[in-house]
Amino acid sequence: MMASPNFGHLVIRNVRLPCTDHSEASAWDIACLGGRVQSITSSGSCIPHEEAAVIEANGGVLVPSLCHSHIHLDKCFVLGQCDPLITGSLPEALKVTNKAKAEFPKDVNNLYARATYLIRESVESGVTAMRAFVEVDTTVGFTCLDMGLQLAKEWVELCHIQIVAFAQEALYESADSTEPGPNYNLLCDAASRLDVSVVGSAPWVEPDRAHALKNIELILSLAEKHDLHADFHLDYNLDPDTVPMVWDVLQQMRQRSWCKSSGKRVAIGHATRLGLFSGEEWAELKRATDILPLEIVALPQSDIYMMGRADPSGRVPVPLAGRTINAPQVYRDHGVRVALSVNNIENAFTPQGSLDPLTLASLGVALFQVGTEPDWRVLLRSVSTTSKEAIGIMHGGSVSGKPADEGDGIVPRVGDPADFVVVHGARRWQSAVLSPGFDRTTFYKGNVVARRRAQRWNANTGGEITH
């Protein structure tokens, strides 16, 4: 892990780009000045700025830096602190996690160490932006929030970390409650913190649908009051008889005249119920999101693990691929962009998986059975540029570089932020999706912020080789 002292001035030599024409076989030099792309020229033709560092990519593939559009900073790697899982169900996950969470304030060092490991491993894999949820409630108070805000400051030069003041627990204490309880009062205090970027909740934990709708209203009001993004864990079911609450969120946004020009967005995470949408429903959602800044973030590692379990008769109601939103198909058929994100690692909600967003793209190839390059581009975009758009930080350039301007943000353009990851050893851009290699270099604001190399040995070589 490192930050190079060139103040955003560098040249990345001999990289391959994810172009769709024959230029993908060509190598390019990317010159960056002041943290933005200055020029894109054929390899060997760039004359570096006198203050620029020169990074040799040796033919590796350069793609946009990656983004966790939805990840939990406080509940990562906590499975070993939970009671053993017996059923693997969602109610059990809530129960054992709540028990483990009660210990967080007693061991802040452990909380900090787990979160730090998550950030470090993420940056080394190519992540330069993340939306990090930290819980605020009567169990943990502001312990998780304080930890998250501290880490966001410590890592500010290497990664943009949006802290979400998040209410995992109900804001209303019972079905008889007419006013929100102490969890809401704590959330109000958290939302007023200077460096909090987002306020969020899980409306489905409320005692009934009426209180879930009130939860949504409260969160949107808090977001408006403090000029924050809003983010909901929403429509986390596969019940065709349950009316999706995304329509209620959109209605609230219309009533509040929430517009894209404000720069503040509303995201819904999981949203597995949307996977049951008809073509007409997707068309309606597309019309709404063309006007309103609503973003969808699917969480495949959690959704596939938790959703669609067999009923008491042994029947599996939803096939594996239907347990999370099929991002390539939804874009191909309906023009709706869906971000993909990691969500959790090694906890009761998601025991398995990787922190590396490129593994989500690779998983999507098999899960959604997509074998075409346009679909692979959607998957790559879903863990990079689409995820950045979902958290409101994507800003495109205005002038095209020499490679064909793909129009999907995957190929860099002059004026773009110099936020990239080079996947070394990948001689084709498709490899970044199909078989993403371990060796990588991460660039943020035109600086090298991380290098990751594997150490290899085998009996035929007779010794160690470090790349």
Side-chain angles (χ1 to χ4, degrees), residues 5-11 32-34 47-54 446-447:
N6 52 46
F7 307 105
H9 303 341
L10 60 77
V11 173
C32 306
L33 183 65
I47 300 175
H49 185 278
E50 61 182 8
E51 296 180 2
V54 177
N447 293 305

Side-chain angles (χ1 to χ4, degrees), residues 144-154 163 193 195-196:
C144 301
L145 178 66
D146 291 338
M147 175 273 299
L149 291 173
Q150 178 182 346
L151 284 172
K153 290 179 180 178
E154 291 177 6
I163 295 299
R193 295 278 193 98
D195 294 321
V196 168

Side-chain angles (χ1 to χ4, degrees), residues 315-363:
R315 181 182 67 94
V316 177
V318 177
L320 188 65
R323 300 178 191 179
T324 192
I325 297 177
N326 186 328
Q329 182 184 44
V330 167
Y331 181 73
R332 184 191 330 120
D333 295 348
H334 311 292
V336 177
R337 291 187 175 181
V338 176
L340 301 180
S341 195
V342 166
N343 185 39
N344 282 319
I345 292 294
E346 282 194 40
N347 66 19
F349 300 92
T350 322
Q352 85 302 340
S354 168
L355 283 171
D356 179 4
L358 284 181
T359 64
L360 291 183
S362 184
L363 171 66

Side-chain angles (χ1 to χ4, degrees), residues 18 63-65 337 377 380-381 384-386 388-389 394 396-397 405-413 416 419-420:
V63 297
S65 64
R337 291 187 175 181
R377 296 182 75 85
L380 177 57
R381 194 175 64 206
S384 57
T385 57
T386 299
K388 292 175 187 176
E389 290 164 1
M394 188 65 191
D405 184 358
E406 305 296 333
D408 59 10
I410 293 177
V411 175
R413 298 172 295 178
D416 280 353
D419 302 336
F420 312 117

Side-chain angles (χ1 to χ4, degrees), residues 86-209:
I86 306 301
T87 66
S89 66
L90 181 58
E92 180 186 55
L94 289 167
K95 179 180 179 181
V96 301
T97 302
N98 283 342
K99 182 178 178 181
K101 191 172 76 171
E103 301 299 312
F104 289 177
K106 303 175 186 177
D107 192 353
V108 177
N109 289 337
N110 174 269
L111 181 69
Y112 179 88
R114 288 187 290 104
T116 299
Y117 181 80
L118 181 150
I119 298 171
R120 185 179 72 246
E121 292 289 305
S122 297
V123 172
E124 290 180 0
S125 74
V127 171
T128 64
M130 66 177 70
R131 174 168 287 181
F133 292 77
V134 289
E135 298 190 14
V136 176
D137 53 41
T138 55
T139 299
V140 295
F142 299 123
T143 300
C144 301
L145 178 66
D146 291 338
M147 175 273 299
L149 291 173
Q150 178 182 346
L151 284 172
K153 290 179 180 178
E154 291 177 6
W155 288 82
V156 68
E157 297 300 326
L158 284 73
C159 183
H160 172 81
I161 302 177
Q162 286 184 348
I163 295 299
V164 187
F166 177 59
Q168 172 67 72
E169 310 304 326
L171 301 182
Y172 291 87
E173 294 186 282
S174 71
D176 298 327
S177 301
T178 58
E179 298 294 330
N183 283 337
Y184 174 68
N185 296 331
L186 287 170
L187 194 65
C188 288
D189 289 343
S192 68
R193 295 278 193 98
L194 179 63
D195 294 321
V196 168
S197 303
V198 192
V199 62
S201 70
W204 57 272
V205 303
E206 297 293 347
D208 52 42
R209 184 180 178 87

